[in-house]
Amino acid sequence: MQNPLNDYLACINSLKLDKVTKKGSVGMEGDNHLPNEFNQEMHQLLEDLEAELSELKNTLDEKDCCILNDFEEVNKLFKSIHHRAATFYLQLYLKPYTKNLEILTASAQALSDKRHGALIAIKRKDSLDRLILPR
């Protein structure tokens, strides 16, 4: 029988980021390197998550009480890592096109927390006027 915690650990291991060169950065032109600061931050956060999961796995048989709170803490950490990565990429891709990154990031997070979908259009090269239909 498969252990869901082992599957979760395998998932975390697959998310670990490869080391990149110091000169590398993620760009709109297809360069696939992450900035070192972000890369190191993600490595540390994923290692923290892996340590939490490992600790949970080690104490699984020792606890006589419910471990749901422990899973909740792991889930919070995972969500915070996801939020940090999502914020990084949102800002990376939209920075050249808007000065309202903080508002967009906060709005996207608030909508996500409420599980609401939304369409946010950012003007880049093409005009949006032909795509917006009046009611």
Side-chain angles (χ1 to χ4, degrees):
M1 186 168 158
Q2 282 189 329
N3 183 339
L5 193 53
N6 286 340
D7 293 342
Y8 202 57
L9 283 169
C11 178
I12 297 306
N13 284 329
S14 71
L15 289 173
K16 284 192 174 179
L17 304 171
D18 293 328
K19 291 186 178 179
V20 297
T21 62
K22 287 190 178 187
K23 66 178 182 172
S25 65
V26 177
M28 296 300 288
E29 288 75 39
D31 187 2
N32 62 359
H33 294 289
L34 295 170
N36 279 339
E37 184 179 323
F38 178 74
N39 186 299
Q40 291 170 354
E41 179 184 2
M42 286 293 106
H43 272 283
Q44 184 60 53
L45 290 170
L46 290 171
E47 285 173 11
D48 293 347
L49 180 60
E50 192 172 32
E52 288 285 328
L53 287 168
S54 182
E55 184 178 322
L56 177 58
K57 185 178 177 182
N58 290 336
T59 62
L60 207 59
D61 294 329
E62 299 170 12
K63 288 196 173 185
D64 292 332
C65 62
C66 181
I67 59 169
L68 287 176
N69 288 336
D70 298 330
F71 278 108
E72 185 61 32
E73 291 303 314
V74 168
N75 191 35
K76 285 179 188 177
L77 181 56
F78 186 82
K79 284 181 179 181
S80 72
I81 295 168
H82 178 265
H83 178 261
R84 175 62 186 106
T87 298
F88 170 79
Y89 284 107
L90 181 68
Q91 291 179 352
L92 176 76
Y93 295 134
L94 295 181
K95 189 174 186 176
Y97 306 106
T98 183
K99 295 177 184 173
N100 299 313
L101 291 173
E102 291 80 18
I103 294 169
L104 285 171
T105 301
S107 298
Q109 184 60 46
L111 289 166
S112 176
D113 290 344
K114 294 179 180 179
R115 302 192 58 84
H116 284 286
L119 174 64
I120 300 173
I122 305 294
K123 181 180 176 182
R124 291 169 63 171
K125 294 178 184 175
D126 298 330
S127 172
L128 296 174
D129 293 338
R130 66 181 177 79
L131 302 173
I132 300 173
L133 302 175
R135 286 184 152 207

